[in-house]
Amino acid sequence: MIDRLIDIFINKPGIYSGSGRIAVVKTPDAVLDGAEIRDIFVTEGVGTGEFTLRNTKVTGTIYVNGGSLVTIAAGATVNKIEVSGNNVEVVVNGKVDTITVNASNVSISGEGDLATVFVESGTGNSVTVSGANVIVAEGAGQVDRSNGDIEQREEDREESAPGSTIPGWPIKPPPIVSPPITDPYEICTIDEIELIDDIPGVDSRTFGGKTQL
C-alpha cells in the first residue's frame, strides 16, 4: 500500500527522472534530473553521501532527515526544505524559497537564490548564501553569517501587514492632544462698562466717565 503512494523510489546510485507527488531517496550519490515532484523525502539511507537536484521543480517540500549533502543545482527550483537531521549540508545554486532548520550543525551555502531561512532550534548552524533573510527563533543558538549579513532575531522582527513590504506596519497615528480647557469665568469676566444712561437699582462708582460694577 505504501509503495503505491511513492511515485519515484530512489534506492540505488544513479540518475532518475519522472513526475508525481512523492519521491523517496534511500541511497547516496543519486541525481533527480528533469523531474517535477511535490514532496521528496531524503532518508538516513543517504548517509553521508550526496543527493542532487538538477533541472527539477519541487512544488511542495524536501524533508531532509539524514546527515547528508543535498545540492540544489542551477536550474532547479524548490518551494521549501525542512531539515530535521543533524550534520546536514545544503548547497543552494538554484532557487529555494524557504529553508526551515530544526537541527544542529546544519550548513547552508551556495551562490543561488535563497529567500528566507527560519532557524527554529539547534546550535552550530551557519548560513552563508548572500542575500538570504535569516530569522532565528527565541531559544535557538547563534547562527554563523560569515558573509557579513545580519541575522534577525524573531523577537525583534517587526510585524508586516499581509501583502505589504512596509516594515513597522500598521503605522500608529500620532497621539491626539486635547486643547486646554479655558476657565469659563475668564471668558465671562467684564472688566468695565460705560453707562450711557442711569440704570435704576445699580449702586455704581464712576471713575473718569466710566463705571465699574
Side-chain angles (χ1 to χ4, degrees):
M1 181 66 180
I2 295 178
D3 291 342
R4 294 179 182 177
L5 300 176
I6 301 174
D7 298 292
I8 303 175
F9 184 55
I10 301 174
N11 61 349
K12 294 181 180 180
I15 299 175
Y16 294 77
S17 186
S19 62
R21 295 171 299 173
I22 296 176
V24 175
V25 185
K26 296 189 67 176
T27 183
D29 305 323
V31 177
L32 189 57
D33 189 3
E36 183 168 346
I37 198 79
R38 187 187 67 188
D39 299 321
I40 300 176
F41 294 84
V42 181
T43 69
E44 294 181 356
V46 179
T48 57
E50 181 178 5
F51 170 65
T52 302
L53 285 184
R54 286 202 307 241
N55 303 311
T56 293
K57 182 178 182 180
V58 179
T59 59
T61 303
I62 299 177
Y63 300 92
V64 184
N65 299 315
S68 54
L69 167 62
V70 177
T71 299
I72 312 301
T77 61
V78 178
N79 176 54
K80 184 178 182 180
I81 299 175
E82 289 191 5
V83 180
S84 59
N86 297 331
N87 305 309
V88 169
E89 182 178 359
V90 179
V91 178
V92 179
N93 290 324
K95 183 177 181 180
V96 178
D97 186 52
T98 303
I99 297 179
T100 302
V101 177
N102 281 289
S104 295
N105 301 318
V106 175
S107 170
I108 302 173
S109 62
E111 299 179 353
D113 183 5
L114 173 58
T116 306
V117 178
F118 294 97
V119 180
E120 297 181 348
S121 64
T123 60
N125 299 313
S126 66
V127 180
T128 58
V129 180
S130 179
N133 181 29
V134 179
I135 299 173
V136 183
E138 184 177 2
Q142 192 78 11
V143 175
D144 178 20
R145 300 303 309 276
S146 59
N147 62 347
D149 289 344
I150 300 174
E151 71 179 38
Q152 192 175 19
R153 305 299 296 189
E154 188 175 43
E155 59 268 28
D156 297 333
R157 182 161 50 103
E158 292 182 332
E159 295 294 335
S160 297
S164 171
T165 58
I166 303 175
W169 183 271
I171 300 174
K172 296 182 180 180
I176 299 175
V177 180
S178 301
I181 300 176
T182 306
D183 187 352
Y185 294 103
E186 291 183 1
I187 298 176
C188 300
T189 298
I190 301 176
D191 293 330
E192 61 182 16
I193 60 174
E194 183 176 356
L195 297 179
I196 299 176
D197 298 320
D198 292 337
I199 301 177
V202 175
D203 183 12
S204 60
R205 291 173 294 172
T206 303
F207 299 93
K210 294 185 178 181
T211 300
Q212 293 184 344
L213 299 180

